[in-house]
Amino acid sequence: MVAETKLYDALSVSPTASQDEIKKGYRKAALKYHPDKNKDNPSAGEKFKEVSQAYEILSDPEKRKVYDQYGLEFLLRGGAEAPPPGAGGPGGMPGGMPGGMPGGGFAFGGMPGMGGGGGGTRTFHFSTGGGPGGGAGGFSFSNPENIFADFLKQGGAHMGDDDDLFAQFTGGGGGGGGRSRFRESGGGKRRAPTPEVTTVEKPLPVTLEDLFKGVHKKMKIRRKTYDDGSGKRNVEDKVLEMDVKPGWKAGTKIKFKGVGDQEEGGTQDLHFIVQEKPHETYKREDDNLRMYVDLDLKEALTGWTRTIPTIDGKKFTLSKAGPTGPGYTETYPHQGMPNSKKPDQRGDMIVEVRVKFPTSLTPVQKAKLKEIL
């Protein structure tokens, strides 16, 4: 049994929640109330503080243990550890005043009677840093901006299917490592910590034919710009041009420096990663190309002929008069993909036979096959 549940309620989790459930609860609430997503809703900033500071306590096993046993008031007045037996519960501190530790501390919005005693439903309101000096040994909450930034750096942005929504807080996804842009106002606005510049990775689908011969591509991107003087953000379109060289493989990166979203700390780098589009005829195996010829059982036993196309438009005739077993291959040297580092060298084209066997035979057919074979 816990002394109170208000912090758990803030994250919509139960007092028996695991650390993973607490993280997921904070992730969902932070995404819902983050000021960057609620610019027309000032109350969202207060809710963001509440859920961030609830997470700060509940994510720390020691603080959570003290909170569960003695409540939030006790923790904020300096009860970093459990009081000795008989020293009193949340209503009073050992050796101190029953109303709380001298020097102030946490601000309880509408919390009647700071010192012990029951009576009425209590509500709480978080304020960063407590009173002057944080009270005499009292716990002071961190800036909610920093709580959120630490959560992101510890992998909190990659815990669900909505990672793209968190990308706006981590610099656009891909390379990770950005910081929150939340600005705290306490006695006047101040700048948030300078974000770390990130690298954004985007797929670049390319056909096998274009990877064979090479291609020049133009990609239109939309990027955010930032004016240091006014602090305003704008959006602009930009066209990037790039050459895909013959023989490049899937996973090859085309790197552009300083062309992505512009933040206070700099401009994002953008990497395009080559993705090979599936081909209806060929399967690439390094610099080799493999294609399949499907034969029915009659063709496989009595002979067959096929026209074999190459990636560069040539045609070969392939035939076999006698029986052909499944998995039979014919290799055409230097008819595959070019080597990206040695363009004058090419891999091979491999033709593999697949035999389709009948799914059923009549007694008469079986008898004839036994007679023949």
Side-chain angles (χ1 to χ4, degrees), residues 169-214:
F169 305 121
T170 58
R179 298 182 185 175
S180 167
R181 299 190 298 272
F182 175 74
R183 295 171 182 265
E184 173 71 12
S185 59
K189 288 190 176 181
R190 65 175 182 82
R191 278 187 176 273
T194 301
E196 298 171 9
V197 178
T198 58
T199 298
V200 180
E201 295 183 342
K202 299 287 186 183
L204 181 66
V206 185
T207 65
L208 195 59
E209 286 80 3
D210 284 344
L211 289 172
F212 172 78
K213 62 188 178 182

Side-chain angles (χ1 to χ4, degrees), residues 146-161:
N146 295 334
I147 298 171
F148 185 65
D150 288 342
F151 176 75
L152 295 182
K153 287 192 287 186
Q154 292 168 9
H158 305 288
M159 294 175 60
D161 297 330

Side-chain angles (χ1 to χ4, degrees), residues 319-331:
S319 63
K320 204 168 189 323
T324 305
Y328 170 82
T329 60
E330 191 83 23
T331 299

Side-chain angles (χ1 to χ4, degrees), residues 32-300:
K32 179 178 181 180
Y33 295 116
H34 197 286
D36 282 2
K37 292 178 90 277
N38 297 275
K39 294 180 180 178
D40 298 327
N41 182 11
S43 63
E46 292 302 312
K47 290 291 294 181
F48 180 73
K49 292 180 188 178
E50 291 182 10
V51 299
S52 295
Q53 293 170 335
Y55 174 73
E56 182 176 27
I57 289 180
L58 297 182
S59 63
D60 185 314
E62 292 301 320
K63 292 187 181 69
R64 181 182 180 183
K65 181 179 179 181
V66 175
Y67 170 73
D68 285 349
Q69 290 181 311
Y70 303 101
L72 184 59
E73 292 181 49
F74 175 80
L75 185 64
L76 294 172
R77 293 185 201 142
E81 299 178 357
M93 291 293 295
M97 297 185 299
M101 292 295 290
F106 194 79
F108 294 84
M111 180 171 281
M114 288 283 288
T121 301
R122 295 189 174 192
T123 59
F124 69 104
H125 172 80
F126 293 118
S127 67
T128 303
F139 170 72
S140 295
F141 284 115
S142 302
N143 190 304
E145 167 192 347
N146 295 334
I147 298 171
F148 185 65
D150 288 342
F151 176 75
L152 295 182
K153 287 192 287 186
Q154 292 168 9
H158 305 288
M159 294 175 60
D161 297 330
D162 54 356
D163 292 348
D164 55 332
L165 298 177
F166 265 78
Q168 62 181 294
F169 305 121
T170 58
R179 298 182 185 175
S180 167
R181 299 190 298 272
F182 175 74
R183 295 171 182 265
E184 173 71 12
S185 59
K189 288 190 176 181
R190 65 175 182 82
R191 278 187 176 273
T194 301
E196 298 171 9
V197 178
T198 58
T199 298
V200 180
E201 295 183 342
K202 299 287 186 183
L204 181 66
V206 185
T207 65
L208 195 59
E209 286 80 3
D210 284 344
L211 289 172
F212 172 78
K213 62 188 178 182
V215 67
H216 181 78
K217 282 187 170 288
K218 294 182 180 181
M219 299 291 290
K220 184 177 180 180
I221 65 168
R222 178 159 291 184
R223 62 191 293 260
K224 298 175 183 177
T225 60
Y226 177 81
D227 189 316
D228 285 318
S230 64
K232 291 184 178 179
R233 298 182 183 277
N234 297 302
V235 177
E236 68 176 18
D237 291 335
K238 186 178 181 68
V239 177
L240 302 177
E241 299 191 34
M242 63 201 79
D243 289 314
V244 175
K245 296 183 179 180
W248 272 6
K249 297 180 176 67
T252 302
K253 292 185 179 182
I254 306 174
K255 300 179 180 180
F256 291 89
K257 188 173 180 62
V259 299
D261 288 347
Q262 187 178 6
E263 302 289 349
E264 293 166 276
T267 307
Q268 294 172 337
D269 297 337
L270 182 58
H271 293 178
F272 287 98
I273 302 178
V274 172
Q275 286 186 349
E276 186 179 293
K277 290 184 178 180
H279 198 277
E280 61 180 6
T281 303
Y282 305 107
K283 179 182 178 182
R284 185 173 184 176
E285 299 173 350
D286 197 16
D287 289 337
N288 296 331
L289 292 176
R290 183 178 295 270
M291 67 168 292
Y292 295 93
V293 169
D294 292 318
L295 306 177
D296 58 34
L297 184 57
K298 180 180 178 180
E299 288 179 306

